[in-house]
Amino acid sequence: MGYNIAIDGPAGAGKSTIARLLAKRKGYVYVDTGAMYRALALYFLEQGIRPEDREAVVDACRKAEVAISYEDGVQQIYLNRRNVTSQIREEAVGNMASVTSAIPEVRARLLDLQRQLAKEQDVVMDGRDIGTYVLPEAQVKVYLTASVETRADRRYKELTEKGVSCDYEEIARDIQERDERDMNREVAPLRQAEDAVLVDSSDMTIEEVVEKIEGLCEG
């Protein structure tokens, strides 16, 4: 087993940004599990499947192949051999992923790939249930969070900087609803592992968060 760092937390807490920077600093492989679920969600959307149509979602899972590759050290997500890295960050994809990732068959579709990566290499993996379910034996576990207001503000700034028209209140409501779904789903709900270190990034800079987690690692 490689050296595994598991970072869990709610949507918009900065998990991907922190995990990516930490992996680069440590020389580890960064595994964005959320991107993998988003790739499946993109497939469901492209097939015109409604998130509540569980039977159709499960059936579509069998036809979707998700793979990870690294180009110039940057993770690329492939869906049925097509690079979809630039397409999976849309709000509609994220909302679909939040709903469908609660389905056991969807999680099982990606679990083996995630665990195999962690077994073969030193990884920083972020998601909703990494420390509690995917990598329960990870050497370092972190629960990264921030207030709803902070997360909504970050997302609002991110979208407006990209020239995307958006509403702060709508973003905040969306985040609260996603938290509710993630924390109360039957399969692998979002929660802090008993041995995870809580890191609230509401009043911390990105650099401070990275240094905090790096300090928890051996060597």
Short mmCIF file of all heavy atoms in Angstrom, two decimals, residues 47-105:
data_model
loop_
_atom_site.label_atom_id
_atom_site.label_comp_id
_atom_site.label_asym_id
_atom_site.label_seq_id
_atom_site.Cartn_x
_atom_site.Cartn_y
_atom_site.Cartn_z
N GLN A 47 -27.16 11.19 -21.87
CA GLN A 47 -28.12 10.16 -22.27
C GLN A 47 -29.56 10.57 -21.97
O GLN A 47 -30.50 9.80 -22.23
CB GLN A 47 -27.80 8.84 -21.54
CG GLN A 47 -26.42 8.27 -21.85
CD GLN A 47 -26.21 8.04 -23.32
OE1 GLN A 47 -27.01 7.39 -23.98
NE2 GLN A 47 -25.12 8.58 -23.86
N GLY A 48 -29.73 11.77 -21.42
CA GLY A 48 -31.07 12.26 -21.12
C GLY A 48 -31.73 11.56 -19.94
O GLY A 48 -32.96 11.52 -19.84
N ILE A 49 -30.90 11.04 -19.03
CA ILE A 49 -31.42 10.29 -17.88
C ILE A 49 -31.72 11.25 -16.72
O ILE A 49 -30.91 12.12 -16.40
CB ILE A 49 -30.40 9.23 -17.42
CG1 ILE A 49 -30.18 8.21 -18.55
CG2 ILE A 49 -30.85 8.55 -16.13
CD1 ILE A 49 -29.05 7.24 -18.28
N ARG A 50 -32.87 11.08 -16.12
CA ARG A 50 -33.23 11.87 -14.95
C ARG A 50 -32.60 11.26 -13.70
O ARG A 50 -32.57 10.03 -13.57
CB ARG A 50 -34.75 11.94 -14.79
CG ARG A 50 -35.45 12.75 -15.88
CD ARG A 50 -36.96 12.67 -15.78
NE ARG A 50 -37.48 11.37 -16.17
CZ ARG A 50 -37.96 10.47 -15.32
NH1 ARG A 50 -38.00 10.73 -14.02
NH2 ARG A 50 -38.40 9.30 -15.75
N PRO A 51 -32.10 12.06 -12.77
CA PRO A 51 -31.42 11.52 -11.58
C PRO A 51 -32.29 10.61 -10.73
O PRO A 51 -31.77 9.70 -10.07
CB PRO A 51 -31.00 12.78 -10.80
CG PRO A 51 -31.89 13.86 -11.31
CD PRO A 51 -32.13 13.54 -12.76
N GLU A 52 -33.62 10.81 -10.76
CA GLU A 52 -34.51 9.96 -9.95
C GLU A 52 -34.81 8.63 -10.63
O GLU A 52 -35.40 7.74 -9.99
CB GLU A 52 -35.81 10.71 -9.64
CG GLU A 52 -36.63 11.08 -10.85
CD GLU A 52 -36.27 12.44 -11.42
OE1 GLU A 52 -35.18 12.96 -11.09
OE2 GLU A 52 -37.09 12.99 -12.18
N ASP A 53 -34.40 8.46 -11.88
CA ASP A 53 -34.64 7.21 -12.60
C ASP A 53 -33.49 6.25 -12.29
O ASP A 53 -32.58 6.06 -13.09
CB ASP A 53 -34.74 7.48 -14.10
CG ASP A 53 -35.23 6.25 -14.88
OD1 ASP A 53 -35.23 5.14 -14.30
OD2 ASP A 53 -35.58 6.41 -16.06
N ARG A 54 -33.57 5.65 -11.13
CA ARG A 54 -32.48 4.80 -10.64
C ARG A 54 -32.16 3.64 -11.58
O ARG A 54 -30.99 3.32 -11.80
CB ARG A 54 -32.82 4.28 -9.25
CG ARG A 54 -31.78 3.36 -8.66
CD ARG A 54 -32.02 3.10 -7.20
NE ARG A 54 -31.08 2.15 -6.65
CZ ARG A 54 -30.74 2.08 -5.38
NH1 ARG A 54 -31.27 2.93 -4.53
NH2 ARG A 54 -29.89 1.18 -4.95
N GLU A 55 -33.18 3.01 -12.11
CA GLU A 55 -32.95 1.86 -12.99
C GLU A 55 -32.14 2.26 -14.22
O GLU A 55 -31.22 1.55 -14.63
CB GLU A 55 -34.30 1.27 -13.42
CG GLU A 55 -34.17 0.01 -14.25
CD GLU A 55 -35.51 -0.63 -14.57
OE1 GLU A 55 -36.49 -0.34 -13.86
OE2 GLU A 55 -35.56 -1.42 -15.53
N ALA A 56 -32.47 3.42 -14.78
CA ALA A 56 -31.76 3.90 -15.96
C ALA A 56 -30.32 4.27 -15.61
O ALA A 56 -29.39 4.02 -16.39
CB ALA A 56 -32.47 5.10 -16.56
N VAL A 57 -30.12 4.86 -14.43
CA VAL A 57 -28.78 5.22 -13.97
C VAL A 57 -27.91 3.98 -13.82
O VAL A 57 -26.76 3.93 -14.29
CB VAL A 57 -28.84 5.99 -12.63
CG1 VAL A 57 -27.44 6.11 -12.01
CG2 VAL A 57 -29.42 7.39 -12.84
N VAL A 58 -28.45 2.96 -13.16
CA VAL A 58 -27.71 1.72 -12.94
C VAL A 58 -27.36 1.05 -14.27
O VAL A 58 -26.24 0.57 -14.48
CB VAL A 58 -28.52 0.75 -12.05
CG1 VAL A 58 -27.83 -0.61 -11.99
CG2 VAL A 58 -28.68 1.33 -10.65
N ASP A 59 -28.31 1.05 -15.19
CA ASP A 59 -28.07 0.44 -16.50
C ASP A 59 -26.99 1.21 -17.26
O ASP A 59 -26.11 0.61 -17.90
CB ASP A 59 -29.37 0.42 -17.31
CG ASP A 59 -29.19 -0.23 -18.67
OD1 ASP A 59 -28.86 -1.44 -18.70
OD2 ASP A 59 -29.37 0.44 -19.69
N ALA A 60 -27.04 2.54 -17.18
CA ALA A 60 -26.06 3.36 -17.90
C ALA A 60 -24.66 3.18 -17.33
O ALA A 60 -23.67 3.29 -18.06
CB ALA A 60 -26.48 4.83 -17.82
N CYS A 61 -24.57 2.90 -16.04
CA CYS A 61 -23.27 2.69 -15.39
C CYS A 61 -22.47 1.60 -16.10
O CYS A 61 -21.25 1.69 -16.21
CB CYS A 61 -23.47 2.27 -13.93
SG CYS A 61 -23.26 3.62 -12.76
N ARG A 62 -23.17 0.59 -16.55
CA ARG A 62 -22.50 -0.55 -17.19
C ARG A 62 -21.91 -0.17 -18.55
O ARG A 62 -21.02 -0.86 -19.05
CB ARG A 62 -23.49 -1.71 -17.36
CG ARG A 62 -24.18 -2.16 -16.08
CD ARG A 62 -25.01 -3.42 -16.31
NE ARG A 62 -25.74 -3.79 -15.09
CZ ARG A 62 -27.03 -3.55 -14.90
NH1 ARG A 62 -27.73 -2.94 -15.84
NH2 ARG A 62 -27.63 -3.91 -13.78
N LYS A 63 -22.39 0.91 -19.12
CA LYS A 63 -21.94 1.32 -20.45
C LYS A 63 -20.92 2.45 -20.40
O LYS A 63 -20.43 2.89 -21.44
CB LYS A 63 -23.15 1.76 -21.28
CG LYS A 63 -24.23 0.70 -21.39
CD LYS A 63 -25.50 1.27 -21.99
CE LYS A 63 -26.63 0.24 -21.98
NZ LYS A 63 -27.91 0.82 -22.44
N ALA A 64 -20.61 2.92 -19.20
CA ALA A 64 -19.69 4.05 -19.05
C ALA A 64 -18.36 3.59 -18.46
O ALA A 64 -18.34 2.96 -17.41
CB ALA A 64 -20.32 5.12 -18.16
N GLU A 65 -17.29 3.93 -19.15
CA GLU A 65 -15.95 3.62 -18.67
C GLU A 65 -15.26 4.91 -18.27
O GLU A 65 -15.11 5.82 -19.10
CB GLU A 65 -15.14 2.90 -19.76
CG GLU A 65 -15.63 1.50 -20.10
CD GLU A 65 -15.36 0.50 -18.98
OE1 GLU A 65 -14.47 0.78 -18.15
OE2 GLU A 65 -16.03 -0.55 -18.95
N VAL A 66 -14.86 5.00 -17.01
CA VAL A 66 -14.16 6.18 -16.52
C VAL A 66 -12.71 5.82 -16.26
O VAL A 66 -12.43 4.80 -15.62
CB VAL A 66 -14.81 6.73 -15.23
CG1 VAL A 66 -14.01 7.90 -14.68
CG2 VAL A 66 -16.25 7.15 -15.49
N ALA A 67 -11.80 6.63 -16.76
CA ALA A 67 -10.38 6.37 -16.57
C ALA A 67 -9.65 7.66 -16.22
O ALA A 67 -10.13 8.76 -16.53
CB ALA A 67 -9.77 5.75 -17.82
N ILE A 68 -8.53 7.51 -15.54
CA ILE A 68 -7.70 8.65 -15.16
C ILE A 68 -6.35 8.53 -15.84
O ILE A 68 -5.77 7.44 -15.92
CB ILE A 68 -7.49 8.69 -13.64
CG1 ILE A 68 -8.79 9.01 -12.90
CG2 ILE A 68 -6.43 9.72 -13.26
CD1 ILE A 68 -8.64 9.01 -11.40
N SER A 69 -5.84 9.64 -16.33
CA SER A 69 -4.47 9.67 -16.83
C SER A 69 -3.84 10.97 -16.35
O SER A 69 -4.54 11.89 -15.91
CB SER A 69 -4.43 9.59 -18.36
OG SER A 69 -4.89 10.79 -18.94
N TYR A 70 -2.53 11.05 -16.41
CA TYR A 70 -1.83 12.25 -15.96
C TYR A 70 -0.97 12.79 -17.10
O TYR A 70 -0.11 12.09 -17.62
CB TYR A 70 -0.99 11.94 -14.72
CG TYR A 70 -1.85 11.58 -13.54
CD1 TYR A 70 -2.27 10.27 -13.33
CD2 TYR A 70 -2.31 12.56 -12.67
CE1 TYR A 70 -3.11 9.94 -12.29
CE2 TYR A 70 -3.15 12.24 -11.62
CZ TYR A 70 -3.54 10.93 -11.43
OH TYR A 70 -4.39 10.61 -10.40
N GLU A 71 -1.27 14.01 -17.49
CA GLU A 71 -0.53 14.66 -18.56
C GLU A 71 0.13 15.91 -18.00
O GLU A 71 -0.54 16.80 -17.50
CB GLU A 71 -1.50 15.00 -19.70
CG GLU A 71 -2.18 13.76 -20.28
CD GLU A 71 -3.31 14.09 -21.25
OE1 GLU A 71 -3.38 15.25 -21.69
OE2 GLU A 71 -4.10 13.18 -21.56
N ASP A 72 1.48 15.92 -18.06
CA ASP A 72 2.26 17.01 -17.45
C ASP A 72 1.91 17.17 -15.98
O ASP A 72 1.86 18.29 -15.45
CB ASP A 72 2.02 18.33 -18.21
CG ASP A 72 2.47 18.26 -19.66
OD1 ASP A 72 3.51 17.61 -19.91
OD2 ASP A 72 1.80 18.84 -20.52
N GLY A 73 1.65 16.04 -15.32
CA GLY A 73 1.37 16.05 -13.90
C GLY A 73 -0.03 16.47 -13.53
O GLY A 73 -0.37 16.58 -12.36
N VAL A 74 -0.87 16.70 -14.53
CA VAL A 74 -2.25 17.15 -14.29
C VAL A 74 -3.22 16.01 -14.58
O VAL A 74 -3.14 15.37 -15.63
CB VAL A 74 -2.60 18.37 -15.17
CG1 VAL A 74 -4.05 18.79 -14.92
CG2 VAL A 74 -1.64 19.51 -14.89
N GLN A 75 -4.13 15.77 -13.64
CA GLN A 75 -5.09 14.69 -13.83
C GLN A 75 -6.06 15.00 -14.96
O GLN A 75 -6.61 16.10 -15.05
CB GLN A 75 -5.89 14.46 -12.53
CG GLN A 75 -6.98 13.40 -12.67
CD GLN A 75 -7.77 13.19 -11.39
OE1 GLN A 75 -7.39 12.41 -10.55
NE2 GLN A 75 -8.87 13.92 -11.23
N GLN A 76 -6.27 14.03 -15.82
CA GLN A 76 -7.24 14.14 -16.90
C GLN A 76 -8.28 13.03 -16.72
O GLN A 76 -7.92 11.89 -16.38
CB GLN A 76 -6.56 13.98 -18.26
CG GLN A 76 -5.45 14.98 -18.53
CD GLN A 76 -5.96 16.41 -18.67
OE1 GLN A 76 -6.98 16.65 -19.32
NE2 GLN A 76 -5.27 17.36 -18.05
N ILE A 77 -9.53 13.37 -16.92
CA ILE A 77 -10.62 12.40 -16.77
C ILE A 77 -11.16 12.01 -18.14
O ILE A 77 -11.50 12.88 -18.96
CB ILE A 77 -11.77 12.98 -15.92
CG1 ILE A 77 -11.27 13.35 -14.52
CG2 ILE A 77 -12.93 11.99 -15.83
CD1 ILE A 77 -10.89 12.16 -13.68
N TYR A 78 -11.22 10.71 -18.37
CA TYR A 78 -11.72 10.20 -19.64
C TYR A 78 -13.03 9.43 -19.43
O TYR A 78 -13.14 8.61 -18.52
CB TYR A 78 -10.69 9.29 -20.30
CG TYR A 78 -9.53 10.04 -20.92
CD1 TYR A 78 -8.47 10.49 -20.14
CD2 TYR A 78 -9.52 10.32 -22.28
CE1 TYR A 78 -7.43 11.20 -20.70
CE2 TYR A 78 -8.47 11.03 -22.85
CZ TYR A 78 -7.43 11.47 -22.06
OH TYR A 78 -6.39 12.18 -22.62
N LEU A 79 -13.99 9.71 -20.29
CA LEU A 79 -15.27 9.01 -20.30
C LEU A 79 -15.39 8.31 -21.64
O LEU A 79 -15.43 8.96 -22.68
CB LEU A 79 -16.42 10.01 -20.11
CG LEU A 79 -17.84 9.46 -20.30
CD1 LEU A 79 -18.16 8.41 -19.25
CD2 LEU A 79 -18.85 10.61 -20.25
N ASN A 80 -15.40 6.97 -21.58
CA ASN A 80 -15.43 6.18 -22.80
C ASN A 80 -14.38 6.67 -23.80
O ASN A 80 -14.66 6.91 -24.98
CB ASN A 80 -16.83 6.23 -23.43
CG ASN A 80 -17.86 5.51 -22.57
OD1 ASN A 80 -17.52 4.62 -21.79
ND2 ASN A 80 -19.12 5.90 -22.69
N ARG A 81 -13.15 6.85 -23.26
CA ARG A 81 -11.96 7.24 -24.03
C ARG A 81 -11.99 8.66 -24.56
O ARG A 81 -11.16 9.05 -25.38
CB ARG A 81 -11.72 6.25 -25.19
CG ARG A 81 -11.52 4.82 -24.74
CD ARG A 81 -11.18 3.91 -25.90
NE ARG A 81 -10.96 2.53 -25.43
CZ ARG A 81 -10.61 1.53 -26.24
NH1 ARG A 81 -10.43 1.76 -27.54
NH2 ARG A 81 -10.44 0.32 -25.75
N ARG A 82 -12.93 9.47 -24.06
CA ARG A 82 -13.03 10.86 -24.48
C ARG A 82 -12.66 11.75 -23.30
O ARG A 82 -13.18 11.60 -22.19
CB ARG A 82 -14.47 11.15 -24.94
CG ARG A 82 -14.80 12.62 -25.20
CD ARG A 82 -16.15 12.74 -25.90
NE ARG A 82 -17.22 12.14 -25.12
CZ ARG A 82 -18.08 12.84 -24.39
NH1 ARG A 82 -18.00 14.17 -24.31
NH2 ARG A 82 -19.05 12.22 -23.73
N ASN A 83 -11.75 12.68 -23.52
CA ASN A 83 -11.32 13.58 -22.45
C ASN A 83 -12.44 14.57 -22.13
O ASN A 83 -12.81 15.40 -22.97
CB ASN A 83 -10.06 14.34 -22.86
CG ASN A 83 -9.41 15.06 -21.68
OD1 ASN A 83 -10.10 15.56 -20.80
ND2 ASN A 83 -8.09 15.13 -21.67
N VAL A 84 -12.98 14.47 -20.91
CA VAL A 84 -14.11 15.32 -20.51
C VAL A 84 -13.72 16.24 -19.35
O VAL A 84 -14.60 16.82 -18.70
CB VAL A 84 -15.34 14.47 -20.12
CG1 VAL A 84 -15.86 13.70 -21.32
CG2 VAL A 84 -15.00 13.51 -18.97
N THR A 85 -12.43 16.40 -19.12
CA THR A 85 -11.94 17.19 -17.98
C THR A 85 -12.55 18.58 -17.94
O THR A 85 -12.91 19.09 -16.87
CB THR A 85 -10.41 17.28 -18.02
OG1 THR A 85 -9.85 15.97 -18.14
CG2 THR A 85 -9.88 17.94 -16.75
N SER A 86 -12.67 19.22 -19.10
CA SER A 86 -13.17 20.60 -19.15
C SER A 86 -14.69 20.69 -19.09
O SER A 86 -15.24 21.78 -18.94
CB SER A 86 -12.68 21.27 -20.44
OG SER A 86 -13.21 20.62 -21.58
N GLN A 87 -15.38 19.56 -19.17
CA GLN A 87 -16.84 19.58 -19.23
C GLN A 87 -17.53 19.23 -17.91
O GLN A 87 -18.74 19.42 -17.78
CB GLN A 87 -17.33 18.58 -20.29
CG GLN A 87 -16.84 18.88 -21.70
CD GLN A 87 -17.22 17.75 -22.65
OE1 GLN A 87 -16.39 17.01 -23.13
NE2 GLN A 87 -18.52 17.63 -22.92
N ILE A 88 -16.76 18.74 -16.94
CA ILE A 88 -17.41 18.17 -15.76
C ILE A 88 -17.59 19.15 -14.60
O ILE A 88 -18.08 18.76 -13.54
CB ILE A 88 -16.63 16.94 -15.25
CG1 ILE A 88 -15.19 17.33 -14.89
CG2 ILE A 88 -16.65 15.84 -16.30
CD1 ILE A 88 -14.39 16.19 -14.28
N ARG A 89 -17.22 20.42 -14.79
CA ARG A 89 -17.33 21.38 -13.71
C ARG A 89 -18.59 22.24 -13.77
O ARG A 89 -18.76 23.16 -12.97
CB ARG A 89 -16.08 22.28 -13.68
CG ARG A 89 -14.80 21.53 -13.34
CD ARG A 89 -14.88 20.86 -11.99
NE ARG A 89 -13.77 19.96 -11.73
CZ ARG A 89 -13.69 19.17 -10.67
NH1 ARG A 89 -14.67 19.18 -9.76
NH2 ARG A 89 -12.65 18.38 -10.50
N GLU A 90 -19.46 21.94 -14.71
CA GLU A 90 -20.70 22.70 -14.82
C GLU A 90 -21.62 22.37 -13.64
O GLU A 90 -21.60 21.26 -13.12
CB GLU A 90 -21.40 22.37 -16.15
CG GLU A 90 -20.59 22.77 -17.37
CD GLU A 90 -21.26 22.35 -18.66
OE1 GLU A 90 -22.38 21.81 -18.58
OE2 GLU A 90 -20.66 22.56 -19.73
N GLU A 91 -22.44 23.35 -13.25
CA GLU A 91 -23.33 23.17 -12.09
C GLU A 91 -24.28 21.99 -12.27
O GLU A 91 -24.52 21.22 -11.34
CB GLU A 91 -24.14 24.46 -11.86
CG GLU A 91 -23.33 25.61 -11.29
CD GLU A 91 -22.78 25.32 -9.90
OE1 GLU A 91 -23.57 25.09 -8.98
OE2 GLU A 91 -21.54 25.32 -9.75
N ALA A 92 -24.81 21.83 -13.47
CA ALA A 92 -25.75 20.74 -13.72
C ALA A 92 -25.10 19.38 -13.52
O ALA A 92 -25.71 18.45 -12.99
CB ALA A 92 -26.31 20.85 -15.14
N VAL A 93 -23.83 19.28 -13.90
CA VAL A 93 -23.09 18.03 -13.73
C VAL A 93 -22.87 17.76 -12.25
O VAL A 93 -23.03 16.64 -11.76
CB VAL A 93 -21.75 18.07 -14.48
CG1 VAL A 93 -20.95 16.80 -14.22
CG2 VAL A 93 -21.99 18.24 -15.98
N GLY A 94 -22.49 18.81 -11.51
CA GLY A 94 -22.27 18.66 -10.08
C GLY A 94 -23.52 18.24 -9.33
O GLY A 94 -23.47 17.40 -8.43
N ASN A 95 -24.65 18.82 -9.71
CA ASN A 95 -25.91 18.46 -9.05
C ASN A 95 -26.32 17.02 -9.37
O ASN A 95 -26.80 16.30 -8.50
CB ASN A 95 -27.01 19.43 -9.48
CG ASN A 95 -26.84 20.81 -8.87
OD1 ASN A 95 -26.30 20.94 -7.78
ND2 ASN A 95 -27.29 21.84 -9.57
N MET A 96 -26.12 16.62 -10.62
CA MET A 96 -26.41 15.23 -11.00
C MET A 96 -25.51 14.27 -10.24
O MET A 96 -25.96 13.24 -9.74
CB MET A 96 -26.23 15.05 -12.51
CG MET A 96 -26.33 13.60 -13.00
SD MET A 96 -27.99 12.87 -12.83
CE MET A 96 -28.70 13.31 -14.43
N ALA A 97 -24.24 14.62 -10.12
CA ALA A 97 -23.29 13.77 -9.40
C ALA A 97 -23.66 13.64 -7.93
O ALA A 97 -23.54 12.56 -7.33
CB ALA A 97 -21.88 14.32 -9.53
N SER A 98 -24.13 14.73 -7.32
CA SER A 98 -24.51 14.71 -5.91
C SER A 98 -25.64 13.72 -5.66
O SER A 98 -25.67 13.03 -4.64
CB SER A 98 -24.94 16.11 -5.46
OG SER A 98 -25.36 16.11 -4.12
N VAL A 99 -26.58 13.64 -6.59
CA VAL A 99 -27.72 12.73 -6.44
C VAL A 99 -27.33 11.30 -6.77
O VAL A 99 -27.58 10.37 -5.99
CB VAL A 99 -28.89 13.18 -7.34
CG1 VAL A 99 -30.04 12.18 -7.25
CG2 VAL A 99 -29.38 14.56 -6.94
N THR A 100 -26.69 11.09 -7.92
CA THR A 100 -26.43 9.73 -8.38
C THR A 100 -25.29 9.04 -7.64
O THR A 100 -25.23 7.81 -7.60
CB THR A 100 -26.12 9.72 -9.89
OG1 THR A 100 -25.02 10.60 -10.18
CG2 THR A 100 -27.34 10.19 -10.67
N SER A 101 -24.41 9.82 -7.01
CA SER A 101 -23.30 9.19 -6.28
C SER A 101 -23.78 8.46 -5.03
O SER A 101 -23.02 7.69 -4.43
CB SER A 101 -22.25 10.24 -5.89
OG SER A 101 -22.79 11.20 -5.01
N ALA A 102 -25.03 8.69 -4.65
CA ALA A 102 -25.59 8.00 -3.48
C ALA A 102 -26.08 6.60 -3.85
O ALA A 102 -26.41 5.80 -2.96
CB ALA A 102 -26.75 8.81 -2.91
N ILE A 103 -26.11 6.28 -5.13
CA ILE A 103 -26.58 4.97 -5.58
C ILE A 103 -25.45 3.95 -5.47
O ILE A 103 -24.37 4.17 -6.01
CB ILE A 103 -27.09 5.07 -7.03
CG1 ILE A 103 -28.27 6.05 -7.11
CG2 ILE A 103 -27.49 3.70 -7.56
CD1 ILE A 103 -28.73 6.35 -8.52
N PRO A 104 -25.68 2.84 -4.74
CA PRO A 104 -24.60 1.85 -4.51
C PRO A 104 -23.89 1.37 -5.76
O PRO A 104 -22.66 1.24 -5.78
CB PRO A 104 -25.34 0.70 -3.82
CG PRO A 104 -26.51 1.35 -3.15
CD PRO A 104 -26.92 2.45 -4.07
N GLU A 105 -24.65 1.13 -6.82
CA GLU A 105 -24.04 0.63 -8.05
C GLU A 105 -23.11 1.65 -8.69
O GLU A 105 -22.12 1.28 -9.35
CB GLU A 105 -25.13 0.22 -9.05
CG GLU A 105 -25.92 -1.01 -8.67
CD GLU A 105 -27.08 -0.70 -7.72
OE1 GLU A 105 -27.19 0.45 -7.25
OE2 GLU A 105 -27.88 -1.63 -7.45
#
